[in-house]
């Protein structure tokens, strides 16, 4: 009796101790609030000429690929040294495929096949340079391949997958493309330009403009096939390639590595910038709505069936959203699970987090001095930022000391000045009278 009592006491002491350990681990693993992040931008590499994108090949090489608007794709090796030779040059000094002018034209997107390590296939989205005025500026989705003998050089042979897709104006080309967790290629196209979607492309299900497309590029000998569950596949009225519609100028989308959810920044017209969480078949509202408001805001509109953004901001905070990434890296646990995005013109960077299902909370992390043309990820899920005007790639870091980690003295904010880009950013396209004044270099704030 006595013996079992003392055993019972020992067990309960052990349980208490376990509970104590559990509580400690719970609190140290509890997700940090975005307010706790002290965001810093750590210099990675500079010397790029109007860069638009940074991404990785997913091949285990730990390289970063930096896309320049005028057509060059450059490589940072695993030590973040810039290689002297281009991976691919689609610009005027190379294959000369890409528009040489137009503030929103150029080489706009790059995506590596999910099996790139085995098949060497990658895809680009660009606007075409052509002496034929009917083709000049049209969108091309094309496939290239890495050289079998040199992993840092691509072969010059182009296979056109989709296009030329007619672009009625020089602006609103969209341009991002990425493979989803389903293995299909997703392609973002803007509404074709002008101001206020004069052609009503966003809501026209027979046009590829103002859409997110989804195609299957693994169906030889066809250039591509239609995923059978695309919302307008086959006999269903509407273009077979469409995955979602009602977009204005989607500028950068991503898939959350954890759950595959698709986040997209859609650049606004006159008043609101928005972040969308896109599902198959969604009508994201443009040009009926801008952000969460009827467009224009003095008219009544029918909102039934339209999918609202999960977040919006007005002209007090920026004028051209740049969609980012859900942080799933391991270096900065405070950022884990937060969607990091920014504004091209104001340089502000925010974290968006879902505090309860369907409720999104936005926190400003930094008001930077950079023209943020893109965010990007490396293979490990660390997140980067591309400075368009100064030609620099930065890594997003957290300078705040973490209770569960030893502070690392090397983590500091670095804003190293870099040489002026060799190409000057192009002037803004003509603004409509209703547009807000533009400060400095404007690009995707488009009218
Ligand atoms: Ca159809
Ligand atoms: Ca919308």
């Amino acid at each position: 009796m006595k013996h079992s009592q003392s055993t019972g006491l020992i067990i309960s002491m052990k349980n208490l101790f376990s509970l104590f350990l559990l509580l400690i681990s719970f609190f140290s693993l509890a997700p940090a609030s975005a307010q706790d992040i002290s965001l810093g931008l750590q210099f990675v590499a500079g010397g790029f000429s109007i860069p638009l994108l940074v991404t990785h090949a997913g091949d285990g090489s730990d390289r970063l690929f930096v896309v320049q608007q005028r057509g060059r794709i450059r490589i940072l090796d695993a030590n973040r040294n810039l290689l002297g030779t281009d991976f691919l040059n689609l610009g005027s000094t190379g294959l000369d495929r890409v528009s040489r002018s137009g503030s929103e034209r150029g080489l706009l997107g790059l995506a590596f096949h999910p099996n790139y390590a085995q098949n060497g296939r990658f895809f680009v989205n660009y606007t075409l340079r052509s002496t034929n005025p009917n083709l000049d500026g049209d969108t091309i989705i094309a496939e290239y391949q890495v050289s079998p003998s040199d992993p840092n050089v691509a072969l010059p042979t182009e296979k056109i997958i989709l296009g030329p897709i007619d672009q009625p104006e020089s602006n609103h080309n969209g341009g991002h493309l990425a493979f989803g967790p389903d293995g299909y290629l997703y392609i973002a196209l803007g509404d074709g330009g002008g101001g206020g979607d004069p052609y009503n492309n966003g809501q026209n299900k027979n046009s590829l403009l103002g859409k997110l497309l989804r195609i299957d590029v693994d169906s030889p000998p066809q250039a591509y096939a239609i995923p059978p569950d695309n919302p307008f596949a086959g006999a269903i009225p509407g273009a077979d390639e469409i995955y979602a519609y009602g977009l204005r100028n989607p500028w950068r989308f991503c898939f959350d590595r954890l759950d595959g959810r698709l986040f997209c920044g859609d650049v606004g017209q006159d008043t609101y910038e928005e972040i969308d969480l896109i599902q198959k078949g969604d009508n994201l509202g443009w040009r009926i709505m801008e952000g969460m408001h009827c467009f224009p805001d003095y008219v009544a509109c029918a909102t039934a069936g339209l999918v609202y953004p999960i977040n919006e901001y007005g002209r007090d905070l920026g004028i051209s959203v740049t969609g980012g990434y859900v942080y799933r890296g391991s270096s900065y646990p405070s950022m884990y699970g937060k969607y990091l995005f920014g504004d091209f013109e104001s340089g502000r960077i925010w974290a968006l987090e879902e505090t309860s299902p369907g409720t999104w909370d936005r926190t400003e992390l930094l008001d930077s001095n950079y023209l943020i043309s893109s965010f990007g990820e490396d293979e490990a899920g660390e997140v980067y930022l591309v400075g368009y005007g100064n030609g620099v790639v930065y890594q997003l870091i957290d300078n705040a000391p973490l209770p569960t980690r030893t502070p690392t003295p090397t983590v500091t904010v670095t804003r190293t000045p870099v040489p002026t880009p060799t190409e000057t950013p192009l002037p803004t396209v003509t603004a409509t009278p209703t547009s807000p004044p533009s400060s400095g270099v404007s690009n995707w704030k488009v009218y």
Side-chain angles (χ1 to χ4, degrees), residues 16-296:
L16 201 65
F17 186 62
S18 305
L19 184 67
F20 180 65
L21 285 179
L22 195 71
L23 283 171
I24 286 181
S25 63
F26 173 78
F27 282 115
S28 60
L29 290 176
S33 156
Q35 319 270 355
D36 300 331
I37 300 171
S38 172
L39 191 71
L41 299 176
Q42 183 163 274
F43 177 90
V44 173
F48 299 102
S49 172
I50 48 173
L52 283 187
L53 180 65
V54 57
T55 189
H56 65 88
D59 61 352
S61 68
D62 198 27
R63 293 172 296 174
L64 288 176
F65 293 75
V66 180
V67 172
Q68 297 186 168
Q69 185 172 4
R70 296 296 161 222
R72 293 168 66 189
I73 303 174
R74 309 179 71 183
I75 294 180
L76 293 170
D77 68 14
N79 297 317
R80 301 298 174 248
N81 295 314
L82 179 59
L83 301 189
T85 304
D86 293 339
F87 180 58
L88 181 64
N89 183 352
L90 298 178
S92 58
T93 56
L95 299 175
D96 203 14
R97 295 288 291 160
V98 170
S99 304
R100 293 181 184 178
S101 62
S103 65
E104 298 179 31
R105 286 176 169 170
L107 176 55
L108 306 174
L110 165 67
F112 292 85
H113 191 280
N115 296 325
Y116 176 75
Q118 287 76 43
N119 63 28
R121 302 170 66 197
F122 65 95
F123 299 81
V124 289
N125 183 342
Y126 67 87
T127 60
L128 180 67
R129 164 182 153 76
S130 173
T131 51
N132 179 344
N134 289 329
L135 294 176
D136 191 47
D138 287 358
T139 287
I140 301 281
I141 310 299
E143 173 177 346
Y144 284 84
Q145 281 220 298
V146 72
S147 162
S149 59
D150 186 345
N152 291 322
V153 175
L155 299 174
T157 310
E158 178 180 83
K159 175 184 172 186
I160 292 181
I161 300 293
L162 198 55
I165 300 169
D166 184 50
Q167 291 286 2
E169 311 280 347
S170 70
N171 58 350
H172 302 192
N173 301 305
H176 199 49
L177 75 174
F179 283 87
D182 52 14
Y184 296 137
L185 182 61
Y186 291 69
I187 302 159
L189 294 181
D191 67 12
D197 194 8
Y199 310 96
N200 199 21
N201 285 321
Q203 294 296 318
N204 178 359
K205 295 177 206 168
N206 293 311
S207 165
L208 298 184
L209 301 178
K211 305 299 185 310
L212 186 67
L213 311 178
R214 184 177 72 163
I215 59 174
D216 175 2
V217 294
D218 292 301
S219 54
Q222 307 168 80
Y224 71 93
I226 300 298
D229 62 332
N230 269 9
F232 309 123
I236 304 168
D240 297 356
E241 292 85 354
I242 294 173
Y243 182 79
Y245 63 108
L247 291 159
R248 181 180 176 277
N249 194 19
W251 187 246
R252 301 312 185 210
F253 63 85
C254 76
F255 298 92
D256 185 339
R257 289 183 179 205
L258 188 70
D259 56 20
R261 291 201 293 183
L262 199 173
F263 293 77
C264 181
D266 194 12
V267 178
Q269 177 67 42
D270 297 323
T271 320
Y272 297 103
E273 304 301 307
E274 68 181 71
I275 298 295
D276 297 308
L277 186 57
I278 299 181
Q279 294 184 308
K280 186 174 64 182
D282 280 353
N283 179 354
L284 284 313
W286 177 248
R287 66 174 186 186
I288 302 166
M289 299 186 76
E290 182 190 20
M292 301 181 190
H293 311 263
C294 291
F295 176 81

Side-chain angles (χ1 to χ4, degrees), residues 171-172 194-195 248 269 428-432 435-436 438 442 445-447:
N171 58 350
H172 302 192
R248 181 180 176 277
Q269 177 67 42
T428 315
V429 292
T430 315
T432 59
S435 305
S438 157
S442 179
K445 177 53 213 163
V446 285
Y447 302 100

